[in-house]
């Protein structure tokens, strides 16, 4: 058999072998048998060294084209097998219906989040911006900037957690007043909810960690009537009924005059009942007209601008809205108590 016949014979054998190879192992064996170091095609190439001249060139071309054909057909067959394997896997996979509902447990918002979001919606609709502020602040931010100098007796009203570096966990959202005035200048309308901390012994109505929502409105000719209007509108929306409010004098160093804002009792509507200690009123929100010192410290001219501020107890509001009896439930992680509140 001359070389040409050998090439043709090898071609035919390879086609038959390829036909018979049904899996990737068999294909790999074929590759070694034809293209490996001692493979048939490699041997043919080695045999070329005994041929010379024109014939060598011609045979070389034949063998190389055979080699290429073997390589390509093997690779093609490998791909085909892979695809078939994939089809088989898909066909045998568990069938499932993507349109079926997934029975995952549904979470719910924390009651304070629900109330906070509701207030944010109400106040944004009245043109207030919503500000965020750090929980670790300086003495200046929390006290001095809001008219509570060092050694002022009003500091005793808030038992503070001090940090080793002289900073503190903010005791009141009023700590952001100065920065917000400096950020926007006058006129301004802003609310700033936040978590506050005080060194309190805890019981059903005291916690060392609680939430407030502070608000400020500063403009020309802002008066106590504006304060009353905004508070009444906001509270009537939160409680989904017409709420009466009244102001009593109250002392807070950052406001002058300062007030305690009471609302008509939610239980008896003002008739008098055990919840309101038969007075018909519930104490809800300290507020007042921003003290000129505080405006000045915030870079706002108190002769040109006036404003009101309030420090709503978000935690207390959530307790009143939902009838939560023990403040400690709110930080407890007790899902039985906390998962009943949904935000629409
Ligand atoms: N920061 C006060 C507190 O935590 C609450 C407060 C009172 C805030 C009067 C105000 C205000 O903005 O005007 O006790």
């Amino acid at each position: 058999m001359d070389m040409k016949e050998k090439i043709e014979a090898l071609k035919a054998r390879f086609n038959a072998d390829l036909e018979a190879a049904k899996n990737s192992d068999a294909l790999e064996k074929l590759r070694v048998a034809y293209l490996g170091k001692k493979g048939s095609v490699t041997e043919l190439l080695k045999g070329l060294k005994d041929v010379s001249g024109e014939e060598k060139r011609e045979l070389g071309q034949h063998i190389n084209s055979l080699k290429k054909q073997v390589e390509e057909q093997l690779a093609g067959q490998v791909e085909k097998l892979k695809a078939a394997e994939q089809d088989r896997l898909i066909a045998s996979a568990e069938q499932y219906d993507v349109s079926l509902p997934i029975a995952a447990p549904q979470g719910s918002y924390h009651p304070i989040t629900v109330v906070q979001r509701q207030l944010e919606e109400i106040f944004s609709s009245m043109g207030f911006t919503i500000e965020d502020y750090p929980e670790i602040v300086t003495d200046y931010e929390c006290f001095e900037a809001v008219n509570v100098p060092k050694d002022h007796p009003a500091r005793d009203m808030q038992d503070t957690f001090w940090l080793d570096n002289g900073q503190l966990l903010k005791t009141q959202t009023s700590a952001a007043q100065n920065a917000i005035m400096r950020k926007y200048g006058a006129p301004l309308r802003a609310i700033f909810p936040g978590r506050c901390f005080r060194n309190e012994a805890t019981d059903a109505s005291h916690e060392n960690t609680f939430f407030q929502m502070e608000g400020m409105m500063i403009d020309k000719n802002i008066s106590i009537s504006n304060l009353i209007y905004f508070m009444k509108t906001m509270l009537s929306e939160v409680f989904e009924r017409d709420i009466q409010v009244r102001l009593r004098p109250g002392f807070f160093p950052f406001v002058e005059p300062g007030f305690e804002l009471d609302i008509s009792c939610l239980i008896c509507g003002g008739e008098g009942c055990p919840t309101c200690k038969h007075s018909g009123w519930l104490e809800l929100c300290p507020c007042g007209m921003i003290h000129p010192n505080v405006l000045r410290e915030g870079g706002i001219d108190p002769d040109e601008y006036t404003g009101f501020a309030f420090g709503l107890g978000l935690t207390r509001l959530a307790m009143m809205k939902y009838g939560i009896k023990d403040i400690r439930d709110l930080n407890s992680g007790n899902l039985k108590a906390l998962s009943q509140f949904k935000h629409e």
Side-chain angles (χ1 to χ4, degrees):
M1 216 196 279
D2 71 5
M3 203 95 152
K4 243 184 191 159
E5 286 169 348
K6 272 193 194 162
I7 295 171
E8 286 312 312
L10 202 56
K11 220 182 243 180
R13 196 158 53 115
F14 175 73
N15 285 336
D17 282 351
L18 190 65
E19 187 81 10
K22 294 290 180 226
N23 57 44
S24 49
D25 277 354
L27 286 173
E28 177 57 16
K29 275 193 188 130
L30 265 192
R31 192 187 65 77
V32 175
Y34 283 82
L35 305 172
K37 252 190 204 161
K38 293 193 175 146
S40 318
V41 177
T42 320
E43 291 298 331
L44 270 184
L45 277 169
K46 282 183 196 160
L48 271 182
K49 69 177 187 314
D50 304 328
V51 191
S52 58
E54 183 59 18
E55 202 187 358
K56 184 173 185 171
R57 212 172 59 84
E58 198 185 320
L59 283 175
Q61 272 174 3
H62 277 304
I63 300 171
N64 273 321
S65 95
L66 170 64
K67 187 180 172 195
K68 200 164 160 216
Q69 185 189 339
V70 168
E71 281 169 352
E72 282 174 2
Q73 281 185 304
L74 276 173
Q77 199 60 20
V78 167
E79 281 308 307
K80 238 195 217 159
L81 273 180
K82 262 195 204 154
E85 177 71 3
Q86 199 117 61
D87 286 348
R88 225 185 16 258
L89 277 178
I90 291 169
S92 69
E94 228 177 276
Q95 300 290 317
Y96 64 94
D97 180 349
V98 289
S99 67
L100 280 179
I102 299 167
Q106 257 207 314
S108 62
Y109 287 109
H110 192 281
I112 292 190
T113 306
V114 177
V115 174
Q116 181 179 326
R117 292 200 173 170
Q118 195 182 7
L119 286 169
E120 287 176 356
E121 264 167 43
I122 297 169
F123 275 103
S124 357
S125 77
M126 300 194 289
F128 284 68
T129 61
I130 302 158
E131 296 291 317
D132 201 9
Y133 207 69
E135 290 172 350
I136 294 177
V137 295
T138 59
D139 184 280
Y140 174 79
E141 291 166 287
C142 200
F143 299 121
E144 286 176 63
V146 287
N147 204 28
V148 188
K150 290 217 161 64
D151 306 321
H152 192 287
R155 289 208 176 194
D156 292 346
M157 290 158 65
Q158 303 180 358
D159 207 346
T160 309
F161 288 115
W162 295 93
L163 307 182
D164 290 342
N165 64 4
Q167 293 187 311
L168 56 119
L169 300 183
K170 78 177 167 203
T171 56
Q172 51 184 357
T173 41
S174 311
Q177 280 196 10
N178 185 265
I180 291 169
M181 280 188 264
R182 296 228 163 249
K183 180 170 171 192
Y184 293 110
L188 96 82
R189 293 179 191 197
I191 52 166
F192 27 114
R195 186 158 56 161
C196 301
F197 308 86
R198 288 186 203 173
N199 188 11
E200 302 264 2
T202 56
D203 61 28
S205 51
H206 294 88
E207 249 293 11
N208 50 34
T209 305
F210 55 95
F211 290 80
Q212 290 186 339
M213 201 189 74
E214 191 99 354
M216 282 192 299
M217 178 172 180
I218 301 172
D219 207 334
K220 290 186 172 153
N221 302 319
I222 295 291
S223 71
I224 298 170
S225 334
N226 297 104
L227 168 63
I228 295 174
Y229 169 79
F230 275 95
M231 299 314 278
K232 190 168 152 46
T233 307
M234 178 270 285
L235 292 166
S236 298
E237 280 210 41
V238 170
F239 291 108
E240 292 156 14
R241 67 185 97 150
D242 192 34
I243 296 280
Q244 302 304 313
V245 300
R246 75 171 185 189
L247 296 179
R248 280 180 297 116
F251 172 72
F252 304 95
F254 17 88
V255 279
E256 179 56 43
F259 306 106
E260 291 286 358
L261 182 137
D262 295 341
I263 60 170
S264 46
C265 178
L266 297 166
I267 308 295
C268 65
E271 306 274 303
C273 71
T275 304
C276 60
K277 299 196 188 92
H278 303 284
S279 71
W281 298 97
L282 295 170
E283 186 177 313
L284 185 68
C285 176
C287 52
M289 300 304 293
I290 303 174
H291 197 291
N293 287 352
V294 176
L295 287 172
R296 211 173 287 118
E297 195 65 26
I300 294 171
D301 180 358
D303 293 329
E304 196 177 352
Y305 290 101
T306 49
F308 67 78
F310 60 88
L312 188 62
L314 262 191
T315 300
R316 184 165 154 77
L317 187 62
M319 288 173 75
M320 284 167 85
K321 181 170 159 101
Y322 293 118
I324 298 167
K325 297 270 181 305
D326 192 326
I327 192 172
R328 290 167 296 192
D329 280 341
L330 291 168
N331 291 344
S332 67
N334 173 1
L335 290 182
K336 215 167 143 201
L338 295 175
S339 61
Q340 318 162 22
F341 310 100
K342 305 263 187 269
H343 188 46
E344 52 298 323

